[in-house]
Amino acid sequence: MSNDLSELLKNIGAEFKEAISRTSEFILEVDIGKRAKKLGYSDIAETFRDVEVVVPLKEPVQGLKVRIDGRTFVNYAQLVSGIAVPTYVAREAGLPYDTFVANDSMIRIFA
């Protein structure tokens, strides 16, 4: 499972590669379970249903914007690609990571 999870997270990082800014206050969240199902990783789709990847964006995109408390992302890990996931997900995927340091105030974009 960790290979599939690792590949899925790399895929998400690659998809948003040009839009990521590691320290941005603008974030987009991607559901790991839904993305896994869409890409055919059925073995992890249910396990990670409703678990979100945080994609910090260089600039805002179209969609509803909601200000949230950055402390929401305590115990998140930032992968080399710049996306952030709960630390247990990064460990299970076996990918290198640093602690995700969120801004005090973040703007979540519902696109």
Side-chain angles (χ1 to χ4, degrees), residues 35-106:
R35 183 60 60 99
K37 187 173 183 178
K38 181 178 176 182
L39 295 176
Y41 295 110
S42 57
D43 59 326
I44 60 174
E46 189 58 32
T47 304
F48 294 99
R49 183 173 47 103
D50 298 329
V51 177
E52 303 284 335
V53 169
V54 175
V55 181
L57 301 172
K58 289 179 185 174
E59 53 191 49
V61 294
Q62 288 284 61
L64 175 66
K65 294 165 182 68
V66 177
R67 188 166 297 278
I68 61 173
D69 189 337
R71 292 176 291 187
T72 301
F73 305 109
V74 171
N75 295 324
Y76 268 63
Q78 192 161 35
L79 304 178
V80 173
S81 65
I83 65 173
V85 296
T87 302
Y88 76 91
V89 173
R91 285 186 186 131
E92 189 161 333
L95 295 172
Y97 64 89
D98 293 317
T99 300
F100 179 55
V101 180
N103 295 315
D104 291 339
S105 179
M106 308 287 286

Side-chain angles (χ1 to χ4, degrees), residues 17-22 24-26 55-60:
K17 181 179 181 179
E18 299 302 318
I20 293 174
S21 171
R22 295 178 68 86
S24 179
E25 69 176 331
F26 299 103
V55 181
L57 301 172
K58 289 179 185 174
E59 53 191 49

